[in-house]
């Protein structure tokens, strides 16, 4: 499902115009992104939790030379599905 498909489904199920549903979808994604940018987790009860995961510094290898390199610590977005979503998918 693409973002356009999601917008169409929201418009259809909520009896909104296409523009209104697009605005709603954009605002929801922007709000989740901004909260994660601040390091906050976003809990959507019955769906799941969006959070920022931290990866520690680790050693790796350069595939071309085989030399050992230091891979710096990073932050990555993560999602954990809620119980209701997990049950629905089974």
């Amino acid at each position: 499902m693409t973002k356009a498909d999601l917008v169409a489904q929201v418009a259809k199920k909520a009896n909104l115009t296409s523009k209104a549903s697009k605005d709603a979808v954009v605002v929801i994604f922007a709000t989740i992104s901004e909260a994660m940018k601040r390091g906050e987790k976003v809990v959507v009860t019955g769906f799941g939790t969006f959070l920022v995961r931290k990866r520690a510094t680790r050693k790796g290898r350069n595939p071309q030379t085989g030399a050992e390199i230091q891979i710096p610590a990073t932050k990555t977005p993560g999602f954990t599905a809620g119980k209701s979503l997990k049950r629905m998918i089974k």
Side-chain angles (χ1 to χ4, degrees):
M1 177 177 269
T2 64
K3 187 175 177 181
D5 295 337
L6 183 61
V7 168
Q9 286 294 317
V10 169
K12 181 179 174 185
K13 292 188 179 195
N15 285 333
L16 296 172
T17 64
S18 182
K19 183 181 181 333
S21 64
K22 182 178 181 182
D23 291 344
V25 170
V26 168
V27 167
I28 289 170
F29 287 144
T31 304
I32 291 171
S33 299
E34 289 168 8
M36 290 178 68
K37 191 175 180 180
R38 292 189 302 267
E40 300 173 11
K41 72 178 181 179
V42 179
V43 180
V44 181
T45 305
F47 184 73
T49 304
F50 296 91
L51 53 107
V52 178
R53 293 195 169 116
K54 295 176 181 121
R55 288 188 177 170
T57 302
R58 61 192 193 280
K59 292 181 182 178
R61 293 212 176 267
N62 181 331
Q64 291 180 334
T65 64
E68 195 171 274
I69 58 172
Q70 193 73 12
I71 301 171
T74 59
K75 293 179 184 178
T76 60
F79 176 76
T80 304
K83 285 182 185 179
S84 299
L85 182 61
K86 286 180 183 177
R87 275 192 230 124
M88 221 183 301
I89 292 175
K90 277 189 176 179

